[in-house]
Amino acid sequence: MKMIVAVVQDKDSSHLSQALVENGFRATKLASTGGFLKAGNTTFMIGVEDEKVDDVLAVIKDNCQSRKQMMAPMSPMGGNADSYVPYPVDVQVGGATVFILPVDRFEQF
Amino acid sequence: MKMIVAVVQDKDSSHLSQALVENGFRATKLASTGGFLKAGNTTFMIGVEDEKVDDVLAVIKDNCQSRKQMMAPMSPMGGNADSYVPYPVDVQVGGATVFILPVDRFEQF
Amino acid sequence: MKMIVAVVQDKDSSHLSQALVENGFRATKLASTGGFLKAGNTTFMIGVEDEKVDDVLAVIKDNCQSRKQMMAPMSPMGGNADSYVPYPVDVQVGGATVFILPVDRFEQF
Ligand code: NI
Ligand code: NI
Ligand code: NI
């Protein structure tokens, strides 16, 4: 058995939760901040049999992979007019940092 | 040394905390949601020597074991009157999902 | 690779965060309570190559080591006047409890 610890952006968190459930995996979510990813993030703990690790990783990749996203220009009213870019820009969003930890023993009560 | 990671229902969390202290074990609690158990839950991290793992598991089992609990009928005022059951029902509460992880090294500063 | 799990007092948390960033380490912070340390605490998860573990431990020790701190006497207005100590006292603050866990595999998406 393995424990998969995945740190993902908050914006991908609910889609990942749902996809894990749909694929029959059970996860616990821990509130987390900063660090591996810049924006607010969520840490998922998922316990799985060794032969299912790649299936879980595929679900995480499908839902959280780092990607470019078009972002509408911010109103110059909100910030510094000097840094105002009057056209949509591509920003990097998503991404997941995943650790697969060995588990010595698993119990359910 | 091992790190015991236990996901338990919030309702059992304070009894487990107290029982761990009474038995001389130190735990850190992480706020967690969803996943292994349906209701709000708490994740305990407990560091122990290998020969104490079974003692900690016994404390967790004593305080968190899945059990039936009589639940008073809800007032039909609160919800759908069609689903109102006018007598107490047994519901499943509690339960713990526990991972025992190997620890390579332990330090205290 | 290792996952370093460090439980530190909240008061040392922001200094440790900053020091980790300055030294090129990336950490995820989990909100945690009680347990290993009496006051409110924060749990850091830090993923590092094996040969960097001691560097991370040095940063944690530098920023969180248990130490004595002079504490101004509390106003007797706030509590029990019987226990009022009208001179500054040394109190123990800080401290870190650190687990180094083996990592089987690491992925980034
Ligand atoms: Ni959506
Ligand atoms: Ni009670
Ligand atoms: Ni400061």
Side-chain angles (χ1 to χ4, degrees):
Chain A
M1 179 163 225
K2 303 294 179 198
M3 177 186 276
I4 297 175
V5 176
V7 184
V8 309
Q9 280 196 1
D10 283 344
K11 70 176 291 156
D12 292 332
S13 171
S14 64
H15 289 149
L16 177 57
S17 285
Q18 198 181 324
L20 288 169
V21 169
E22 281 166 15
N23 286 275
F25 299 116
R26 305 162 92 196
T28 292
K29 282 189 275 183
L30 306 171
S32 54
T33 57
F36 297 114
L37 300 163
K38 307 226 179 62
N41 55 52
T42 302
T43 297
F44 285 74
M45 290 194 316
I46 308 148
V48 276
E49 293 310 316
D50 296 31
E51 61 273 20
K52 296 282 189 179
V53 167
D54 284 321
D55 295 342
V56 173
L57 292 178
V59 174
I60 296 172
K61 192 177 177 183
D62 274 358
N63 286 278
C64 308
Q65 195 166 17
S66 182
R67 60 213 180 258
K68 287 204 164 67
Q69 197 172 66
M70 192 85 92
M71 200 186 203
M74 306 283 194
S75 158
M77 305 301 292
N80 188 338
D82 293 339
S83 63
Y84 174 60
V85 184
Y87 44 84
V89 288
D90 271 348
V91 292
Q92 202 78 21
V93 297
T97 300
V98 189
F99 301 89
I100 295 101
L101 307 180
V103 173
D104 277 355
R105 199 172 147 192
F106 174 70
E107 300 284 343
Q108 271 185 299
F109 299 122
Chain B
M1 180 164 227
K2 302 293 179 198
M3 177 186 278
I4 297 175
V5 176
V7 183
V8 309
Q9 281 197 359
D10 283 343
K11 70 175 292 156
D12 292 333
S13 171
S14 63
H15 289 148
L16 177 57
S17 286
Q18 198 181 326
L20 288 168
V21 169
E22 281 167 15
N23 286 274
F25 300 115
R26 306 162 92 196
T28 291
K29 282 190 275 184
L30 305 171
S32 53
T33 58
F36 298 116
L37 300 164
K38 306 224 181 63
N41 56 51
T42 301
T43 298
F44 285 74
M45 289 195 315
I46 307 147
V48 275
E49 292 309 315
D50 296 30
E51 61 272 19
K52 295 282 189 179
V53 167
D54 284 322
D55 295 343
V56 173
L57 293 178
V59 174
I60 296 171
K61 191 176 178 183
D62 274 358
N63 285 278
C64 307
Q65 194 165 18
S66 182
R67 61 214 180 258
K68 286 205 166 67
Q69 197 171 66
M70 193 85 91
M71 199 187 207
M74 306 285 193
S75 158
M77 304 301 292
N80 187 338
D82 293 340
S83 63
Y84 174 60
V85 183
Y87 44 84
V89 289
D90 271 349
V91 292
Q92 202 79 20
V93 297
T97 299
V98 188
F99 301 89
I100 295 99
L101 307 180
V103 174
D104 277 354
R105 199 171 146 193
F106 174 71
E107 300 285 343
Q108 271 187 297
F109 300 122
Chain C
M1 178 164 229
K2 302 294 178 197
M3 177 186 277
I4 297 176
V5 176
V7 184
V8 309
Q9 281 196 1
D10 283 343
K11 71 176 292 157
D12 292 332
S13 170
S14 63
H15 288 148
L16 177 56
S17 285
Q18 197 181 326
L20 287 169
V21 169
E22 281 167 14
N23 286 275
F25 299 116
R26 305 162 90 197
T28 291
K29 282 190 275 184
L30 306 171
S32 56
T33 57
F36 297 116
L37 299 163
K38 305 225 181 63
N41 57 51
T42 302
T43 297
F44 285 74
M45 290 194 316
I46 307 148
V48 275
E49 293 309 316
D50 296 31
E51 61 272 21
K52 296 281 188 178
V53 166
D54 284 322
D55 295 342
V56 173
L57 293 177
V59 173
I60 296 171
K61 191 176 178 183
D62 274 358
N63 285 279
C64 307
Q65 194 165 18
S66 182
R67 60 212 180 260
K68 287 205 166 66
Q69 196 171 68
M70 193 84 92
M71 199 187 204
M74 306 284 193
S75 156
M77 304 300 291
N80 188 337
D82 293 341
S83 63
Y84 174 62
V85 184
Y87 44 85
V89 288
D90 270 349
V91 292
Q92 202 78 20
V93 298
T97 300
V98 189
F99 301 90
I100 295 101
L101 306 180
V103 173
D104 277 354
R105 198 171 147 193
F106 175 70
E107 300 284 343
Q108 271 186 299
F109 298 122

